[in-house]
């Protein structure tokens, strides 16, 4: 058949092993997944109550325009309804943006290491991918600017960055936006924005008003604890949204996900509570790294990428046998490191005790 050339040899996204399978494989009663940066506390109790009472008619198609959710998000950020687009997760928006703007002959600029969906989608569209290495674990915005030329269509800034957790400061971002050519779309992926507490990071909403070539991506998957509902959104000037909207599948969010997101959004106290707990959990990982002299990236998210001074894949396997699923650095392009989602205090404590055991076995602390 006449497949696109670039499809040949391409691999599907490799999700972590399902928890049930890991339980069976290793005969474990309990498995904790600290691999995909979900909220360890789940969603707001209000969402749980709502789900129990749900009486919606799921035989009918959802509102493709997500009107009620649109109004709620517009009010939450004080933006216009026409300045929002909803995706089946922000993954969907990344695909929509790529499909609308990338094709053979154009290029796209991103950091390396960063979120794999940027280059994965770009490759499917046959665009040239320009990866600019991180500098000290952070986006190297100067070199990213240098990588932009007249054939560049999209530049991706993951802020905070996955998998390092580092941020681009407001000052750096502001200088960068002023220099990117007006006809290059800047995608500011803020999947973890709720967790950021570094004062160098300031609210970014106002930038999309100043820059017609900027779109912000946010999601209900991380801090809101609603990953399974697949709901992300983009914020940009109405002209940009109007260009992207025809590329979106007509019913890309379900009735239930739209309703649940509204409830989640209404409980900001819950988000605050989770972020406070996350800070304490982060301190557990930082203390472990400092105690053992392991390098770690300064994270403004609910995960930490840190050195294990051993083969990442071996550490991944050994931790899985002990009931914890994490991300091996090897899979993220940084061998010798692991990325761990910050869990509850008890999960973190147990994880770190077992990790100490594994790293001792591996001769790291000899
Ligand atoms: C998790 C994540 C996403 C995708 O989130 P969904 O809304 O669940 O699709 C996007 N960008 C980054 C950087 C992420 O870490």
């Amino acid at each position: 058949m006449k497949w696109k050339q670039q499809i040949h040899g391409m691999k599907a996204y490799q999700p972590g092993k399902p928890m049930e399978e890991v339980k069976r494989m290793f005969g474990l009663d309990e498995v904790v997944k600290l691999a995909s940066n979900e909220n360890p506390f789940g969603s707001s109790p209000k969402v749980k109550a709502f789900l129990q009472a749900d009486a919606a008619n799921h035989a009918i198609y959802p509102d493709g325009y997500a009107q009620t959710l649109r109004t709620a998000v517009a009010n939450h950020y004080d933006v216009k309804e026409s300045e929002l687009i909803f995706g089946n997760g922000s993954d969907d928006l990344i695909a929509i943006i790529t499909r609308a703007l990338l094709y053979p002959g154009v290029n796209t600029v991103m950091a390396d290491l960063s979120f794999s969906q940027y280059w994965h989608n770009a490759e499917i569209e046959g665009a040239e991918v320009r990866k600019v290495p991180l500098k000290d674990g952070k986006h190297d915005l100067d070199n990213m600017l240098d990588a932009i030329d007249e054939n560049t269509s999209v530049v991706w800034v993951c802020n905070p960055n996955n998998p390092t957790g580092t941020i681009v400061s407001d000052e750096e971002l502001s200088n960068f936006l002023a220099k990117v050519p007006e006809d290059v779309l800047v995608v500011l992926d803020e999947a973890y924005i709720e967790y950021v507490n570094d004062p160098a990071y300031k609210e970014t909403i106002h930038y999309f008003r100043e820059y017609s070539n900027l779109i912000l991506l946010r999601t209900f998957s991380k801090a809101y604890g609603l990953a399974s509902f697949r709901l992300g959104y983009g914020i940009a000037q109405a002209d940009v949204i109007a260009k992207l909207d025809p590329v979106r599948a007509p019913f890309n969010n379900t009735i239930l996900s739209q309703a649940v997101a509204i409830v989640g959004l209404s409980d900001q106290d819950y988000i605050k509570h989770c972020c406070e707990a996350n800070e304490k959990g982060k301190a557990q990982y930082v203390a472990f790294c400092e105690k053992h002299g392991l390098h770690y990236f300064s994270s403004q998210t609910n995960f930490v990428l840190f050195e294990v001074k051993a083969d990442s894949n071996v550490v991944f396997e050994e931790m899985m046998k002990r009931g914890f699923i994490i991300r091996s650095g090897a899979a993220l392009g940084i061998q010798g490191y692991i990325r761990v989602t910050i869990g509850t205090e008890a999960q973190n404590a147990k994880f770190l005790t077992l990790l100490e055991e594994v790293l001792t076995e591996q001769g790291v602390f000899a």
Side-chain angles (χ1 to χ4, degrees):
M1 282 178 285
K2 298 169 186 171
W3 299 109
K4 282 183 177 179
Q5 187 59 36
Q6 53 272 25
I7 294 292
H8 296 296
M10 196 171 256
K11 287 198 184 69
Y13 179 76
Q14 295 292 316
K17 284 209 168 47
M19 292 159 82
E20 287 309 316
E21 192 185 328
V22 173
K23 272 190 200 170
R24 246 178 304 159
M25 278 168 69
F26 302 108
L28 298 162
D29 294 332
E30 206 201 319
V31 168
V32 179
K33 183 166 170 252
L34 300 178
S36 305
N37 312 331
E38 297 104 332
N39 184 335
F41 305 103
S43 59
S44 156
K46 290 186 180 156
V47 168
K48 290 168 192 162
F50 173 86
L51 285 172
Q52 263 153 22
D54 174 47
N57 179 0
H58 295 288
I60 58 166
Y61 278 102
D63 171 9
Y65 192 65
Q67 181 60 62
T68 316
L69 174 61
R70 185 176 294 270
T71 306
V73 174
N75 289 340
H76 183 72
Y77 289 118
D78 195 17
V79 301
K80 296 196 194 86
E81 292 181 358
S82 56
E83 293 166 338
L84 294 168
I85 182 169
F86 292 90
N88 192 257
S90 37
D91 281 345
D92 186 26
L93 295 168
I94 293 168
I96 290 170
I97 290 165
T98 307
R99 199 172 168 205
L101 286 143
L102 297 183
Y103 50 90
V106 304
N107 70 67
T108 181
V109 173
M110 63 195 68
D112 180 25
L113 313 163
S114 197
F115 191 52
S116 62
Q117 290 305 302
Y118 311 150
W119 51 263
H120 182 79
N121 281 285
E123 282 178 2
I124 292 171
E125 299 304 335
E128 180 201 339
V129 173
R130 296 189 173 176
K131 290 184 178 177
V132 178
L134 298 175
K135 194 169 144 196
D136 305 323
K138 293 177 55 175
H139 278 62
D140 184 345
L141 295 178
D142 287 337
N143 272 334
M144 286 175 73
L145 281 170
D146 285 346
I148 294 172
D149 64 16
E150 66 282 1
N151 293 321
T152 305
S153 288
V154 183
V155 52
W156 308 84
V157 178
C158 189
N159 199 26
N161 188 40
N162 181 2
T164 52
T166 50
I167 57 159
V168 164
S169 73
D170 182 62
E171 195 186 344
E172 290 163 330
L173 180 65
S174 147
N175 290 333
F176 178 76
L177 290 172
K179 289 180 191 152
V180 175
E182 281 172 25
D183 60 354
V184 174
L185 182 70
V186 179
V187 182
L188 193 61
D189 183 348
E190 303 184 305
Y192 300 94
I193 188 171
E194 294 84 5
Y195 288 110
V196 178
N197 64 6
D198 185 333
Y201 191 110
K202 298 198 177 78
E203 180 51 66
T204 50
I205 296 275
H206 67 97
Y207 283 122
F208 93 83
R209 299 208 184 285
E210 280 167 62
Y211 295 99
S212 59
N213 60 329
L214 176 67
I215 185 164
L216 313 176
L217 298 187
R218 298 184 180 188
T219 179
F220 285 97
S221 294
K222 305 290 160 62
Y224 284 90
L226 297 171
S228 97
F229 286 101
R230 313 304 305 124
L231 227 156
Y233 52 99
I235 311 175
Q237 289 188 12
D239 291 352
V240 174
I241 299 293
K243 283 281 191 304
L244 293 173
D245 222 17
V247 185
R248 184 178 61 79
F251 303 107
N252 61 336
N253 300 121
T254 66
I255 291 179
L256 197 53
S257 65
Q258 292 178 25
V260 149
I262 294 168
V263 181
L265 192 66
S266 75
D267 195 354
Q268 289 300 312
D269 285 348
Y270 179 75
I271 302 298
K272 194 162 164 271
H273 159 80
C274 292
C275 292
E276 283 165 10
N278 185 64
E279 281 308 302
K280 291 188 190 141
K282 199 195 295 175
Q284 292 174 272
Y285 288 88
V286 167
F288 180 88
C289 291
E290 305 235 319
K291 176 179 164 199
H292 293 296
L294 303 172
H295 174 254
Y296 62 93
F297 290 96
S298 175
S299 173
Q300 286 291 303
T301 64
N302 67 335
F303 58 83
V304 187
L305 180 68
F306 62 98
E307 183 189 32
V308 285
K309 295 188 174 166
D311 186 315
S312 313
N313 289 336
V314 172
V315 174
F316 164 80
E317 289 284 337
E318 290 300 319
M319 289 309 300
M320 188 161 65
K321 283 183 202 163
R322 290 165 174 79
F324 282 92
I325 309 177
I326 55 169
R327 284 294 266 178
S328 162
L332 300 167
I334 182 162
Q335 172 57 269
Y337 282 68
I338 55 174
R339 193 194 68 194
V340 184
T341 304
I342 297 167
T344 65
E345 187 182 358
Q347 288 170 343
N348 301 330
K350 187 166 174 211
F351 175 84
L352 290 169
T353 303
L354 293 171
L355 181 63
E356 194 159 31
E357 183 183 299
V358 167
L359 296 188
T360 303
E361 264 178 33
Q362 294 298 311
V364 174
F365 303 139

